[in-house]
Amino acid sequence: MTFIKCFFVTVFNSLFLLLLPGCDQPAKQPVTTTTDFSPSFKLIPSDTFYFKSFVDCNMAEAWIGDTFRIFPGKYGEDPLWGYSNELKFANGKHADEAFLTPHEAFQTPKLPKNAKPGTPGLHGAVWFETVYQDSTDPTGKTLFAVYHNENYPSTLPYDSATGKGYKTEKWPQGLQGPGSPAAVCRIGIMKSTDGGHHWEDRGLFLEDYQPRFILKPHNQSNTFPGGIGDPSAVASGEYLYLFFGEYSYPGNYDSASYDREVEWSGQCISMARIRLSDLDHPEGKARRWDGKAFTIPYDSIGKPVASLQIPLDQGGGPASSASGGFYWGPSVSWNSYLDCWVMLMGKVTGPSWAGNSVFISFNRNKDLGSALQSQEWTTPRLLFERPGYFLWYPSLQPFNSPEDIANKNTSLRLGKKARLFIKNIKPERSDYMSMHIVEFSK
């Protein structure tokens, strides 16, 4: 969801009164979770750390030898916001150096061109959300980028022969207000064998189709009619596990029989997995969670992580709702100090992905493939809130500590302390920035 100023001219006229102004707030007292596994954390104020280039996604990164490399930005066709060539990379001797790289010093990788509508190939815009580094390549240069992809009926028109693509009838409005179309998100994989200088598209990881999209009059979100996106991916055992937002109806949408509770039941943070050996040819290989195991095809209907759903009687709601009521944008890392997985996520509280808080959840099972262990996430707890802002894409990042450098930590692997980065948005500007360090304790 690309941020530009004209988006907020539309959105904040109707939304800003819903967000109470005030000072920056520290984390509130954590609530009790439903499990006895509950690591402690605290926010330590730090000098404000501004990122100097474009970010509108999770921060994908990897160590290439002794070089820390980041891949922020957006690339490709977008009829709503315009073509973008902002998916670039920057290097550093450690994370802080890479994050402080000025925009003009970023390098542009070679990416596949968009295909014409109605022909095979890459369509729409992409954002790299996670980079998996192939552990079988001793050079560290073989990378697989998990990307968020957005399309519209004009870039991916409906094909009656295949049932793929999008129809314009009753299409909901997008982020630029009435008359602008909503985007559909899906998730794919690109590969590089030279550390990220050149990329080739390897195909789709996950996709939802037109019959499941929530259309007018029920969709009031100003964002997506459906699809899956905003992913984070981690390796465990022989698999790459994908955490993503599910925004489609858990069945065929019919305006006459639409049920708000049914829509909510199939959303929002969900999981799928694919064998690491299938990343070169991923299409059709991933499996979604069915409630007991990973058995659902990549383009069919899975089930969300139950502990990460907000109950309807506690303010929860479906993704098409104007009032929100769900977590989104997961960022997952392994914490070597806590010996557990850590997930950050935003919370949607209004249309156009409004929300001013960041939540945290934990999973102590290193092996995500055994029994129900991939689903054992603690009840989300408030980590940070900032009234008057939209807070998007929270993540924990390494910095220039000797430990982070020696262990070659990234956003996928961290220790006792990490920087908290968030995209902070107001009508007049947008900053990807850090104001705090998170310190964990057992």
Side-chain angles (χ1 to χ4, degrees), residues 132-145:
Y132 165 70
Q133 194 165 23
D134 187 348
S135 61
T136 65
D137 178 3
T139 71
K141 293 182 179 181
T142 300
L143 309 175
F144 291 94

Side-chain angles (χ1 to χ4, degrees), residues 64 69 71 89 109-110 141 143 192-199:
I64 313 299
R69 184 165 294 164
F71 298 90
F89 67 90
K110 181 70 173 179
K141 293 182 179 181
L143 309 175
S192 174
T193 57
D194 59 4
H197 290 269
H198 298 80
W199 294 89

Side-chain angles (χ1 to χ4, degrees), residues 40-61:
S40 298
F41 53 86
K42 64 180 179 181
L43 289 179
I44 303 171
S46 65
D47 292 339
T48 301
F49 193 118
Y50 288 98
F51 188 71
K52 298 180 179 180
S53 192
F54 177 79
V55 176
D56 196 45
C57 54
N58 278 326
M59 180 65 74
E61 58 207 39

